Amino acid sequence: MKLTEKLALKALHQVDPELAHGLSIKALTSGLAPTPGPVTSPRLRCEIAGIQLPNPVGLAAGFDKNAEALHPLSQAGFGFIEVGAATPRPQPGNPKPRLFRLSEDKAAINRFGFNNEGMEVIAARLAQRPKDAVIGLNLGANKDSDDRAADFARVLAHCGAHLDFATVNVSSPNTEKLRDLQGKAALSALLSGVIETRDGLAKRVPVFLKIAPDLDRAGIEDIAAVTLETGIDAVIATNTTLSRDGLQSAHRDETGGLSGAPLFEKSTRVLAQLSELLDGKVPLVGVGGISDAKQAYAKICAGASAVQLYTAMVYGGLSLGAEIAQELDGLLARDGFDTVAAAVGSKRGDWL
């Protein structure tokens, strides 16, 4: 990280976290944030669900909720970008304050509640997207919707023409009863509706499913079964957690989803279990607690074909994505892997 980025991070940490997030988006759109360009190599190039990636390090949903900074983010070194979550209608989300830094834990708690400008505004921005980047959209449901399951399909139908992939997000803890849609019957019906909508689009958009880290073994087995039955293209493991084990920060008891360093082990164990159950039939994206290349590599070795990060950038800056990708290349070479794919699941047993 350059000195200018360190100073900018220090300044951002002096203001309210949500304001700081907004300022970081403005810095990107104003050309003031680091954009080193694509990071790639023969070893880093990889594929997930038929999508060719320059490297396996992606930006998770939630950073650019409204697809405002697609062009600068496409030059920030990430292999792929996920924006959103988008809902059919705009919604303000939950009352503020709703984002909390847990600096001592290198973590964050949020209870945003799918605040976004709605699918029409987001689709218009996606229509102007950079064509040489891999961009996906996290699909959400309106809090007051009469049919939340149908909301996911509506957003996909409206935005699908501009996407490389779409993620069904039923794992956010910040919309009441949303996680109830992870139950086997409800999830199967929801995903079938999304897949049917996808199959009616002019182009085939891979559909991913994002799951919670708080599932027990039976819940993970249900997710695996539904994934195979419905033809989902990939699973993102995992979203934020409701657990508060071992936290030190003053904000540790705030309600919402916990992300960042404390999530790493929990999310990686869920990832490894799902990898064992799916046995290579469906690729996985590992997310949760990644703050350096060693942890990104650990997710890959546990079963992930690609990874995503977000909260670690609060502490490591936007340049962290490019740094992790560059260092990951060296770790793969050190262990004799010519490709990312060759390393996937190579140490899964360590997490089971």
Side-chain angles (χ1 to χ4, degrees):
M1 189 194 311
K2 293 182 179 179
L3 178 60
T4 52
E5 190 176 5
K6 286 183 179 179
L7 293 173
L9 271 181
K10 186 174 181 180
L12 288 173
H13 278 231
Q14 305 309 306
V15 301
D16 171 78
E18 189 165 351
L19 173 60
H21 178 257
L23 291 172
S24 68
I25 294 291
K26 287 187 182 298
L28 269 166
T29 57
S30 302
L32 300 176
T35 49
V39 174
T40 192
S41 74
R43 190 176 282 108
L44 288 175
R45 290 189 195 104
C46 55
E47 175 188 316
I48 184 163
I51 306 168
Q52 301 298 318
L53 305 178
N55 73 65
V57 182
L59 175 63
F63 180 78
D64 189 6
K65 286 178 177 289
N66 294 303
E68 297 174 85
L70 296 174
H71 287 271
L73 283 174
S74 72
Q75 295 298 309
F78 293 104
F80 60 109
I81 300 160
E82 185 176 347
V83 298
T87 55
R89 290 174 284 106
Q91 63 181 20
N94 294 322
K96 298 179 182 179
R98 55 194 181 183
L99 177 62
F100 306 89
R101 290 189 204 94
L102 283 70
S103 298
E104 295 89 341
D105 301 298
K106 292 290 190 289
I109 291 173
N110 90 81
R111 51 173 180 261
F112 281 119
F114 284 168
N115 58 309
N116 73 106
E117 295 177 9
M119 67 182 185
E120 292 186 10
V121 170
I122 291 171
R125 291 181 182 140
L126 286 166
Q128 304 300 316
R129 54 163 285 179
K131 300 304 181 186
D132 57 349
V134 176
I135 298 174
L137 177 65
N138 193 280
L139 312 176
N142 282 116
K143 184 176 182 179
D144 60 353
S145 175
D146 292 330
D147 189 349
R148 288 182 180 172
D151 279 6
F152 296 93
R154 287 181 62 196
V155 178
L156 178 58
H158 195 77
C159 300
H162 314 302
L163 302 177
D164 296 304
F165 67 94
T167 300
V168 175
N169 183 359
V170 292
S171 52
S172 169
N174 300 317
T175 296
E176 187 179 0
K177 296 185 178 179
L178 182 72
R179 284 190 173 188
D180 291 351
L181 294 173
Q182 288 185 127
K184 191 172 184 180
L187 183 60
S188 181
L190 184 157
L191 292 177
S192 294
V194 171
I195 294 294
E196 183 179 354
T197 297
R198 187 275 305 279
D199 290 346
L201 297 175
K203 70 167 186 175
R204 188 185 189 281
V205 178
V207 174
F208 295 5
L209 170 66
K210 190 168 189 176
I211 66 169
D214 302 318
L215 297 164
D216 58 17
R217 177 70 183 190
I220 297 170
E221 290 174 353
D222 283 349
I223 292 289
V226 171
T227 297
L228 294 171
E229 289 167 6
T230 56
I232 285 295
D233 295 284
V235 180
I236 300 178
T238 67
N239 210 321
T240 57
T241 181
L242 294 172
S243 171
R244 297 292 187 267
D245 292 345
L247 298 181
Q248 303 298 317
S249 303
H251 293 300
R252 62 184 176 272
D253 294 324
E254 293 288 347
T255 58
L258 172 72
S259 59
L263 184 55
F264 178 76
E265 288 202 12
K266 187 171 192 174
S267 62
T268 308
R269 293 190 191 285
V270 171
L271 167 74
Q273 290 180 65
L274 198 55
S275 173
E276 180 186 39
L277 290 165
L278 293 173
D279 194 27
K281 297 181 181 70
V282 179
L284 305 175
V285 179
V287 57
I290 296 172
S291 61
D292 58 32
K294 289 181 180 178
Q295 290 179 316
Y297 186 40
K299 294 272 191 191
I300 290 168
C301 293
S305 294
V307 299
Q308 290 177 316
L309 59 143
Y310 173 8
T311 301
M313 296 193 308
V314 173
Y315 304 100
L318 181 67
S319 62
L320 186 63
E323 291 170 5
I324 287 176
Q326 290 163 351
E327 292 175 22
L328 180 61
D329 197 331
L331 292 173
L332 289 163
R334 180 198 68 188
D335 291 348
F337 294 117
D338 293 331
T339 63
V340 173
V344 173
S346 59
K347 295 185 179 179
R348 183 174 66 197
D350 292 352
W351 294 93
L352 297 174

